[in-house]
Amino acid sequence: MSAKDNMQKQGRVWLVGAGPGDFGLITVKGLAAIEQAQVLVYDRLINDALLEHAPDDCEKIYVGKQAANHALPQPQINELLYQKASQGRRVVRLKGGDPYVFGRGGEEGLYLVERGIPVEVIPGITSSIAGPAYAGIPVTHRECASSFHVFTGNFKDDERGLDFANLAALEGTLIFLMGFANLNYITQGLLAAGKAADTPAAVISQATTNRQRTAVGTLIDIEEKAAAQHLSSPAITVIGRVVECREGLNFFEPQPGRGVLILRDARQSDIFAQKLRQSGLQPVNCPVIQIVNRTDKQADAYLQRMAQYSWLVFTSPNGVKAFMEAFQAQVGDWRALGHLKFAVIGRATAQVLQNWGFTADYCPERQISDALGQGLAEQLKADDRVLLPRSAIADNRLQDLLSAKCPVDDWKIYDTQIVEDMSAELWECLQNVRYVPFTSASTVDGFVQAAGGAAAAAEVLSAVGCRTVAIGPVTAGRMQQLGIAPDLQAAEHSLDGIVKVILADTGGVEND
Ligand code: SAH
């Protein structure tokens, strides 16, 4: 075997910092490493969406710790990395924040290097700096902190703990990771060592994620403030005058009155989030439904019959995506769609269709199912044939309207699955928002199920004082059926319509 073969055979480990939680806070180089990984060994506190960037055949191994229950002890993690790399594989060891900040990355690296495995490090954005930044707190600031110091607040019984006399004498910002359970020990220790009781302090929980929340106080009351807000681990404690900058620099956490809950599938939430941000509103994601494309024999049958259809009718962007993805995978030759006319329910669906290179031939004035059915029926002739790829839970009205004119194949192309048992997450998210828009009847069902039933849903909404918004009459009807009063209804039945009606309600812009 040549030296070159040998090189290619040799595995390698990349110690990669995943950043603090926000997907976008991984480095370009870190993401590229994930995209090339053959084995991905990852911890808790990693944004799950990063894992989806690994190749399909990548072996993903979770080694994180859950409270006191260690999923895999450190020596076994070291050995696992060694074993996988010595089989000649590209191993990415993905760690929260930066791999060398309280991440035991150094230990793993040395263990591998001592055994002849090449190791590379891709630093990450550490939560110790990014967490405070996302809470509006710069770790240094002219005239109030010219240094910052990062400590671990987690000690084993046999460890000495912190040297509070030295800490209290430091002029710079004090930052504690892993210290939430020891917050009392930290604040009391600093006070006893002479640190001023009115020193500003903050605790930032779940920093840079949609669930980020921050308690602000002073050394003397921060523990009480954090408890009052029910903050929990993971959390960062910041002590020093820099905390005072938060008032001006807090850009990320929803301000009262501007937070909007997004309940739809994670795949669909980006565009809505973007529209909200552009209007000065603040999206908070809590997906209660999930769109799953169906791949069954039926699908092949429809796709093979494409020549027989004259119209393709889409009632949602999901329908377009599901159809185009299935077509691309199974047929692949776009000319097979060249003879077809396309009808869509509204502008958002038309836009997604356009993104695939097809212009809608028909779109009703009012973006509702009945308008589509009635308007399109006027154009259909007896020798037309319609394919209607749509949600498995759609009702029959549209099909009935169209099939009065010509044959219609109702292709149940995707399922809308409800994500079960999310009441704790939902409750947390609801506390950060003012508006709860429902973009479809299925988001109403998802919300009710996630909340633990219709009564619980109504109760939680009134407890947090949120305003509900319906995208249109069908969604409003479903809300009423389940005991949720629609406070607002969009005049234009689209995401833009929802943004407009919310802005009008906040007093931002006139509703038109
Ligand atoms: N290597 C990581 C730190 C690992 S120690 C880094 O550079 O960020 C784990 C501790 O980091 C947690 O106990 C918590 O104090 C902090 N932490 C990590 N991610 C966090 C987040 N998103 N929000 C708040 N604290 C976080």
Side-chain angles (χ1 to χ4, degrees):
M1 193 185 282
S2 72
K4 188 161 162 268
D5 288 339
N6 233 336
M7 289 272 298
Q8 281 172 347
K9 273 251 160 247
Q10 189 172 33
R12 186 177 283 261
V13 175
W14 283 263
L15 298 173
V16 178
D22 180 342
F23 177 86
L25 294 184
I26 187 166
T27 63
V28 172
K29 198 168 175 182
L31 193 59
I34 294 173
E35 283 164 0
Q36 302 284 320
Q38 291 171 314
V39 182
L40 188 63
V41 179
Y42 65 100
D43 279 344
R44 205 164 68 93
L45 305 186
I46 303 283
N47 186 324
D48 286 346
L50 289 171
L51 307 178
E52 286 165 25
H53 283 253
D56 287 344
D57 56 356
C58 171
E59 184 183 0
K60 296 178 195 157
I61 307 171
Y62 174 71
V63 294
K65 298 157 192 146
Q66 228 114 35
N69 146 34
H70 288 226
L72 202 61
Q74 189 64 43
Q76 290 181 31
I77 298 178
N78 297 348
E79 188 54 23
L80 173 74
L81 296 173
Y82 170 66
Q83 290 299 340
K84 296 292 175 190
S86 58
Q87 292 161 7
R89 298 165 81 188
R90 287 190 300 275
V91 181
V92 166
R93 171 68 172 117
L94 193 59
K95 289 170 161 294
D98 180 89
Y100 283 171
V101 177
F102 301 127
R104 305 187 76 166
E107 286 169 55
E108 293 174 6
L110 286 172
Y111 185 91
L112 295 162
V113 170
E114 280 160 13
R115 283 157 187 77
I117 303 290
V119 172
E120 286 183 40
V121 182
I122 302 178
I125 293 183
T126 174
S127 65
S128 56
I129 298 175
Y134 265 49
I137 304 171
V139 293
T140 69
H141 190 58
R142 230 171 112 83
E143 285 167 17
C144 71
S146 59
S147 66
F148 64 93
H149 310 265
V150 182
F151 304 94
T152 169
N154 181 27
F155 318 99
K156 305 220 171 69
D157 294 342
D158 55 350
E159 284 176 2
R160 199 159 46 92
L162 293 165
D163 179 353
F164 285 113
N166 270 329
L167 260 63
L170 290 167
E171 167 271 353
T173 305
L174 306 181
I175 299 165
F176 297 87
L177 299 190
M178 298 184 283
F180 190 68
N182 288 333
L183 190 54
N184 180 268
Y185 166 76
I186 292 166
T187 52
Q188 293 309 313
L190 287 170
L191 287 167
K195 189 102 183 152
D198 63 355
T199 310
V203 172
I204 309 141
S205 153
Q206 314 221 46
T208 81
T209 72
N210 283 321
R211 304 209 184 91
Q212 173 175 319
R213 284 199 287 137
T214 305
V216 177
T218 61
L219 207 43
I220 209 143
D221 65 10
I222 187 64
E223 195 191 350
E224 194 186 314
K225 294 271 179 70
Q229 282 187 238
H230 304 286
L231 298 193
S232 59
S233 260
I236 300 155
T237 303
V238 187
I239 296 169
R241 280 189 43 214
V242 287
V243 169
E244 288 167 353
C245 294
R246 172 172 159 82
E247 215 166 292
L249 293 180
N250 173 22
F251 70 100
F252 184 69
E253 285 165 49
Q255 277 136 31
R258 305 205 74 83
V260 179
L261 196 65
I262 303 188
L263 295 165
R264 34 186 14 215
D265 179 73
R267 281 204 319 181
Q268 299 175 292
S269 60
D270 285 1
I271 184 156
F272 194 16
Q274 201 182 342
K275 285 180 190 292
L276 291 168
R277 281 195 197 283
Q278 279 165 356
S279 303
L281 298 165
Q282 287 164 318
V284 172
N285 278 316
C286 188
V288 294
I289 56 171
Q290 208 179 357
I291 303 297
V292 183
N293 291 355
R294 285 188 175 186
T295 44
D296 45 24
K297 284 214 187 76
Q298 196 74 47
D300 290 339
Y302 290 125
L303 289 169
Q304 297 313 324
R305 279 211 293 271
M306 216 38 78
Q308 298 174 14
Y309 297 109
S310 50
W311 280 89
L312 256 179
V313 180
F314 294 111
T315 58
S316 72
N318 285 324
V320 178
K321 272 192 245 168
F323 174 83
M324 294 298 173
E325 283 168 12
F327 182 86
Q328 194 168 36
Q330 300 301 322
V331 185
D333 185 345
W334 297 106
R335 288 172 298 184
L337 302 179
H339 65 290
L340 286 161
K341 284 192 168 174
F342 293 87
V344 295
I345 195 163
R347 281 196 293 279
T349 308
Q351 183 57 54
V352 175
L353 186 64
Q354 192 67 60
N355 295 346
W356 285 91
F358 297 94
T359 306
D361 298 281
Y362 178 74
C363 178
E365 189 78 15
R366 295 189 65 212
Q367 310 192 35
I368 52 172
S369 176
D370 281 1
L372 172 65
Q374 285 152 8
L376 183 60
E378 285 172 20
Q379 307 211 3
L380 292 174
K381 295 187 269 324
D383 61 352
D384 274 319
R385 183 161 185 170
V386 172
L387 180 62
L388 184 57
R390 58 180 184 156
S391 162
I393 53 171
D395 67 22
N396 287 333
R397 285 182 61 85
L398 179 61
Q399 193 192 4
D400 292 347
L401 284 167
L402 301 178
S403 55
K405 296 300 281 289
C406 70
V408 176
D409 283 349
D410 187 6
W411 176 4
K412 302 201 182 316
I413 193 169
Y414 66 88
D415 286 300
T416 307
Q417 293 179 354
I418 289 177
V419 181
E420 308 261 341
D421 193 19
M422 296 202 21
S423 49
E425 276 161 294
L426 193 61
W427 172 251
E428 252 186 71
C429 292
L430 280 169
Q431 287 178 317
N432 284 329
V433 299
R434 169 85 171 127
Y435 294 96
V436 182
F438 292 95
T439 51
S440 63
S442 54
T443 54
V444 182
D445 294 346
F447 180 85
V448 164
Q449 193 141 330
E459 199 176 312
V460 72
L461 280 171
S462 80
V464 290
C466 289
R467 288 172 70 69
T468 59
V469 188
I471 195 168
V474 176
T475 303
R478 186 71 186 143
M479 289 166 72
Q480 274 152 345
Q481 264 176 6
L482 291 170
I484 299 174
D487 295 315
L488 302 168
Q489 184 171 316
E492 180 193 303
H493 309 312
S494 64
L495 297 180
D496 288 327
I498 288 184
V499 172
K500 276 186 197 159
V501 78
I502 291 178
L503 280 180
D505 195 63
T506 60
V509 162
E510 286 295 297
N511 189 19
D512 59 17

